[in-house]
Amino acid sequence: AIAAPGSPPAAQRRASRALAVGSVAVGGGAPVSVQSMTTTPTSDVEATLRQIAELTAAGCQIVRVAVPSQDDADALPEIAAKSGIPVVADIHFQPGYVFAAIDAGCAAVRVNPGNIRKFDDQVREIAQAASAAGVPIRIGVNAGSLDQRLLAKYGKATPAALVESALWECSLFEEHGFTDLKISVKHHDPRVMVAAYRELAGKCDYPLHLGVTEAGPLFQGTIKSAVAFGVLLAEGIGDTIRVSLSAPPVEEVKVGIGILESLGLRPRRLEIVSCPSCGRAQVDVYKLAEQVTAAFEGFPVPLRVAVMGCVVNGPGEAREADLGVSSGNGKGQIFVKGEIVRTVPESQIVEALLEEAMSHEWPVRSE
Ligand code: SF4
């Protein structure tokens, strides 16, 4: 992790086995990756590939597609071949689709062997096929789909029940010598989810895929995921993340990346340090912060840009910013590294910030 200046050293990452999900390393100390899932019918190859391209452009590193029907399974070869990022096939019950996904060139499969055993026990054959193809498997235990036996034993989806279920599912592959596994134990309540992952982290060394399931719409889901992932990642737990939102999947990717950036687990691309505004503000801070964010989106250097509503505390409060503005009297004081370099009319603030950004050399920040 990238430590903030003056902060205690970042938590040691939990030691986990290294897996390769196509070109993306997961576990074994690899950077925490961001995943999402398509919402298009997988059988609609064109729409699915379009959405995968949008997700890839947003920074998604691994994409999962649902495979509930034969038509979806039939679409996998083209999707896997044309996707710019590794594709994970999500399968619930049908062993035939697992073999199809492996043959199609999918980078991984999410399947719970407990489900496969109930219908047509081909766990051994799946383990052999996945092993031969070098395809890892994710065991995905959710509160809603907990095994009846464990539900009866624990009464509900407690952290211990989720963990026992996941490790039992793993054992069904382990008995065939297959250990290229990663695990998720998702729950809609961040407190249960955090407790489950903590317990799981101490009981195995498989890479962990973090997720709060049914987290909700954008605002609520972002908060739940940020809280739960934040606790775990700050403790060094978690190898890959998927934010689940009732919102377009690109939003999941943005939130996931934002969480990793906030924790210093990947370098920030752009940070807007804007004040919350108060009675001293002499400019519409919200609007100006939005305009500056839009203007700097995609700027090639990861800058920290301050937007301050008044000159009283402006440059002082934002001393660690690369550049910024503090407003007053219809003007903007533009400062670079805490020093005021010029004053411009309010209407020219954004333009002046961009000019200053482009006319300076910016060292690569280490925090
Ligand atoms: Fe208030 Fe000025 Fe601080 Fe913004 S920078 S919160 S306007 S005192």
Side-chain angles (χ1 to χ4, degrees):
I2 303 161
S7 67
Q12 191 81 14
R13 293 271 305 277
R14 163 183 170 265
S16 59
R17 294 166 191 236
L19 289 182
V21 177
S23 56
V24 178
V26 174
V32 179
S33 48
V34 173
Q35 313 202 8
S36 186
M37 189 166 184
T38 52
T39 54
T40 51
T42 304
S43 56
D44 186 342
V45 174
E46 202 180 310
T48 302
L49 283 171
R50 201 179 314 123
Q51 196 171 53
I52 291 175
E54 287 167 13
L55 288 167
T56 307
C60 184
Q61 293 165 284
I62 297 171
V63 66
R64 187 157 46 111
V65 300
V67 188
S69 76
Q70 186 62 49
D71 284 349
D72 301 310
D74 292 344
L76 292 175
E78 191 176 349
I79 292 172
K82 293 186 177 169
S83 169
I85 53 177
V87 174
V88 180
D90 189 299
I91 295 157
H92 275 189
F93 301 111
Q94 303 86 346
Y97 300 170
V98 179
F99 297 118
I102 293 170
D103 290 345
C106 289
V109 176
R110 182 267 171 125
V111 67
N112 290 354
N115 285 339
I116 296 284
R117 270 193 1 161
K118 277 181 205 156
F119 295 89
D120 183 5
D121 188 357
Q122 294 190 44
V123 177
R124 175 197 298 272
E125 289 81 355
I126 289 174
Q128 285 169 345
S131 179
V135 168
I137 288 179
R138 172 160 69 90
I139 306 285
V141 172
N142 283 4
S145 57
L146 196 63
D147 194 72
Q148 287 304 319
R149 178 176 56 89
L150 292 166
L151 216 44
K153 177 175 170 186
Y154 289 95
K156 60 180 183 174
T158 63
L162 292 166
V163 171
E164 186 174 332
S165 176
L167 294 178
W168 172 73
E169 297 274 1
C170 288
S171 75
L172 299 180
F173 278 127
E174 288 162 352
E175 65 191 34
H176 300 298
F178 186 80
T179 54
D180 272 355
L181 300 168
K182 56 193 172 103
I183 312 180
S184 60
V185 280
K186 299 187 183 181
H187 196 283
H188 64 85
D189 184 330
R191 295 165 302 175
V192 178
M193 177 273 196
V194 165
Y197 276 98
R198 275 183 180 149
E199 190 176 329
L200 187 59
K203 289 192 165 168
C204 69
D205 66 353
Y206 291 122
L208 300 182
H209 163 124
L210 302 187
V212 176
T213 194
E214 292 113 30
L218 184 59
F219 182 74
Q220 179 187 290
T222 298
I223 290 175
K224 278 189 175 186
S225 301
V227 167
F229 295 8
V231 169
L232 291 166
L233 290 168
E235 292 174 8
I237 297 171
D239 299 286
T240 182
I241 61 172
R242 190 256 169 132
V243 174
S244 301
L245 298 173
S246 307
V250 161
E251 301 300 325
E252 300 184 346
V253 174
K254 288 189 204 161
V255 173
I257 290 173
I259 291 171
L260 296 183
E261 288 180 348
S262 296
L263 288 163
L265 287 168
R266 66 168 59 181
R268 275 190 188 278
R269 293 175 296 182
L270 169 68
E271 183 175 8
I272 302 293
V273 185
S274 53
C275 81
S277 192
C278 74
R280 294 186 199 89
Q282 294 186 24
V283 72
D284 183 342
V285 176
Y286 306 161
K287 192 166 146 210
L288 185 57
E290 269 176 25
Q291 288 171 339
V292 172
T293 304
F296 278 85
E297 195 75 56
F299 195 78
V301 181
L303 289 180
R304 190 177 284 151
V305 184
V307 177
M308 297 299 177
C310 73
V311 290
V312 180
N313 296 327
E317 279 186 12
R319 198 161 280 130
E320 284 182 12
D322 294 308
L323 75 161
V325 59
S326 37
S327 303
N329 266 339
K331 298 194 181 86
Q333 287 182 337
I334 306 295
F335 53 89
V336 176
K337 292 284 172 200
E339 300 294 327
I340 295 166
V341 293
R342 59 175 158 143
T343 302
V344 298
E346 205 174 295
S347 60
Q348 293 171 23
I349 289 173
V350 178
E351 191 187 329
L353 284 171
L354 273 175
E355 279 169 10
E356 292 300 329
M358 285 188 281
S359 63
H360 287 79
E361 293 276 322
W362 300 104
V364 177
R365 283 202 315 265
S366 62
E367 80 280 13

